[in-house]
Amino acid sequence: MKTLSTPLALLCLSLLGVWAACTPHKSDKEYTDRMHAEHQHESPTATPATAHGTHKDVGKMITFGSEDGQEYNGYYVKRNDTKANAPGLIMIHEWWGLNDNIKAMAEKYAALGYKVLAVDMYDGTVATKSEEAMPLMRAATNDLPGSRNILKAGYAFLKKEKAAKIGSIGWCMGGFFSLQTAIALPKTLSAAVIYYGDVSKASQNELASLQMPILGHFGGLDKGIPRSSVQQFEATLRDLKKNVTIHMYD
C-alpha cells in the first residue's frame, strides 16, 4: 500500500466535492444514519477538477438498456473525433446522484479520448441534501442484483459502441459500485478504479474471480472506510496473485 502526502490526499478526496458521500460499512442503515448525522448541513459542490478539457464536447442523456420494464438511463459523451475503437468508461456517481458535477467529470474524461457512460443508479432522482441521499444510497446498495444489472447493461452498451476496452470508475458510493462492476464482469471488464469506496463486502470467492487490474485511492482519516478494511482488501488480492495498486492518502 502506497501512502501519499496530505496535500495530494486533499486534492484526490475533494475531486468531486463529496466529503459526505462514502459508501456503506458494516450495517447499511448504521452507516447511512451516521453519514446523515455528520453531513446533514452539506450539499454537493463542484470543484475545479470538473472543469472542461480542451474539447468541450457535451453529452446527452440516453436510455442504454432495460429489464422487466425498467429503463436504464445515463449520460453519454464522447469527443467528435474519438476513434471508433476508443476505450470505454463506465462512470458511477456518488450518493448525490447523476448531477451536473458528475456530467462535467464525464465530459472531462471524454476530452481525454474515452467513450464515457455515466450511469444513473437512482432512476432520475438527484439529491441535494443528506436526508435525500441517504435512502437513495441505501436502496441502491441493498439491491445488488438490480444495481449490477444496470452496470452490466452499461458495459453491453459500450461494447455496441465498439469500445475496444472498457473500465469502471466511481467515487464513494460509486467506488463501491466500481468494484461491483468488476465482480459482475470478472472476465470481461478491462480495469476498475475505486475512489474511497467500501471494499469490505466483497467475498474472497468474488475477488478470486477478478481478472482485471484494480486501482484504489483511499483516505487514511476516512472513518467511513477504515484503513483496516482497505488493508485486508489489498492483502486478500495480493494473496490471490491479483494485479492491485492501492494508494492511501494521509
Side-chain angles (χ1 to χ4, degrees), residues 23-37 95 134-135 137-139 141-142 198 201:
T23 51
H25 178 63
K26 296 183 179 179
S27 165
D28 286 349
K29 185 177 187 305
E30 173 190 342
Y31 183 82
T32 51
D33 286 348
R34 186 170 70 252
M35 291 297 289
H36 170 59
W95 82 335
M134 179 174 59
M137 180 180 74
R138 185 178 297 157
T141 55
N142 282 347
D198 181 19
K201 289 181 171 56

Side-chain angles (χ1 to χ4, degrees), residues 98-116:
L98 182 53
N99 57 20
D100 289 342
N101 204 27
I102 292 293
K103 292 176 182 178
M105 184 59 74
E107 291 163 6
K108 186 177 181 67
Y109 274 88
L112 299 175
Y114 292 94
K115 297 178 179 180
V116 185

Side-chain angles (χ1 to χ4, degrees), residues 211-243:
Q211 297 185 17
M212 76 292 292
I214 302 289
L215 173 63
H217 298 274
F218 300 88
L221 301 180
D222 188 346
K223 296 179 181 179
I225 312 296
R227 183 188 293 264
S228 59
S229 71
V230 178
Q231 291 172 331
Q232 181 59 54
F233 173 70
E234 181 182 23
T236 299
L237 286 172
R238 293 201 180 283
D239 288 344
L240 293 168
K241 309 300 182 185
K242 301 301 179 180
N243 184 349

Side-chain angles (χ1 to χ4, degrees), residues 57-126:
D57 299 286
V58 177
K60 60 182 179 180
M61 289 297 299
I62 64 167
T63 297
F64 60 86
S66 65
E67 184 166 329
D68 297 330
Q70 176 68 47
E71 291 186 341
Y72 302 146
N73 300 308
Y75 185 71
Y76 182 52
V77 57
K78 62 180 180 178
R79 273 171 31 179
N80 292 330
D81 61 349
T82 296
K83 295 180 180 179
N85 65 343
L89 193 59
I90 302 167
M91 181 175 288
I92 310 108
H93 57 77
E94 73 297 75
W95 82 335
W96 301 116
L98 182 53
N99 57 20
D100 289 342
N101 204 27
I102 292 293
K103 292 176 182 178
M105 184 59 74
E107 291 163 6
K108 186 177 181 67
Y109 274 88
L112 299 175
Y114 292 94
K115 297 178 179 180
V116 185
L117 177 64
V119 297
D120 185 356
M121 306 301 291
Y122 290 170
D123 193 25
T125 301
V126 175

